[in-house]
Amino acid sequence: MSSHHLDSKLQADPRRVIFLDFDGVLHPLGALADARPPLEPVTIKERWPQALEHLEILATLLQKHPKIAVVVTSSWRMFLNDQQLGELLEPIGQWYAGSVGFPYQGRAIAIRAWIEANRVDDYLILDDQADYFPGLLEAWPTLILCNSTLGIADEQVQHRIRQWIDYGRPT
């Protein structure tokens, strides 16, 4: 899997894309505060069982929607490669399509480059950091900002994700 393009299997069947942050979205911000890279997926799972604790929520939301691809935007892409990220995201493995851009690019720049390279126009961004997205709603109309403690465990966030899945726009 390339960090810039969907793999060939996904290119043959164009998909909608969810750009996914981890900290503050799939688990509370700071849940892995004492973690220091380099780390292997097995170590993360063993030492920090709360890591990615909301991943099953995302898996449930994605059920019956095989044409949605999940692309990692998390800073975890700085110390884990696409294969390692895939190991961590095993419950959503059929949707996982890699990570965005060069690891040290800003999140918004990396997402924009990925969208342009893959000609994707139907996407959702799940993040908890407004500072990463200049212009917020005007520039990023499909951005869902999560409460960094609740992440996607928040019922309102789940509702907005379902709205995008079903209608193409979070409400």
Side-chain angles (χ1 to χ4, degrees), residues 4-72:
H4 301 287
H5 299 284
L6 285 171
D7 69 27
S8 59
K9 176 184 78 173
L10 298 177
Q11 284 178 348
D13 185 14
R15 295 183 179 217
R16 303 166 73 203
V17 177
I18 293 176
F19 292 101
L20 180 65
D21 181 28
F22 292 177
D23 300 313
V25 175
L26 292 181
H27 54 253
L29 189 63
L32 283 82
D34 61 337
R36 298 290 176 261
L39 293 169
E40 291 295 320
V42 67
T43 306
I44 293 169
K45 289 177 183 179
E46 288 173 0
R47 289 198 52 206
W48 296 277
Q50 74 278 24
L52 311 177
E53 67 184 352
H54 304 315
L55 193 54
E56 290 297 331
I57 294 169
L58 186 57
T60 299
L61 291 167
L62 290 171
Q63 279 182 348
K64 300 179 184 174
H65 299 282
K67 294 197 180 276
I68 295 175
V70 174
V71 175
V72 172

Side-chain angles (χ1 to χ4, degrees), residues 6-152:
L6 285 171
D7 69 27
S8 59
K9 176 184 78 173
L10 298 177
Q11 284 178 348
D13 185 14
R15 295 183 179 217
R16 303 166 73 203
V17 177
I18 293 176
F19 292 101
L20 180 65
D21 181 28
F22 292 177
D23 300 313
V25 175
L26 292 181
H27 54 253
L29 189 63
L32 283 82
D34 61 337
R36 298 290 176 261
L39 293 169
E40 291 295 320
V42 67
T43 306
I44 293 169
K45 289 177 183 179
E46 288 173 0
R47 289 198 52 206
W48 296 277
Q50 74 278 24
L52 311 177
E53 67 184 352
H54 304 315
L55 193 54
E56 290 297 331
I57 294 169
L58 186 57
T60 299
L61 291 167
L62 290 171
Q63 279 182 348
K64 300 179 184 174
H65 299 282
K67 294 197 180 276
I68 295 175
V70 174
V71 175
V72 172
T73 58
S74 172
S75 59
W76 289 36
R77 65 193 165 98
M78 287 190 250
F79 58 90
L80 296 171
N81 62 37
D82 282 342
Q83 181 179 350
Q84 292 169 315
L85 290 167
E87 287 177 44
L88 286 171
L89 296 174
E90 193 254 329
I92 61 166
Q94 78 180 74
W95 296 278
Y96 175 61
S99 62
V100 294
F102 296 100
Y104 297 99
Q105 279 183 320
R107 200 165 291 176
I109 293 168
I111 290 171
R112 285 255 191 253
W114 199 97
I115 288 169
E116 289 175 18
N118 290 282
R119 295 186 215 136
V120 170
D121 60 5
D122 191 6
Y123 61 90
L124 179 72
I125 302 168
L126 297 174
D127 210 299
D128 68 318
Q129 298 294 320
D131 294 348
Y132 293 158
F133 299 93
L136 274 180
L137 294 180
E138 297 80 25
W140 303 97
T142 59
L143 168 65
I144 296 177
L145 282 175
C146 299
N147 172 299
S148 61
T149 302
L150 298 175
I152 65 170

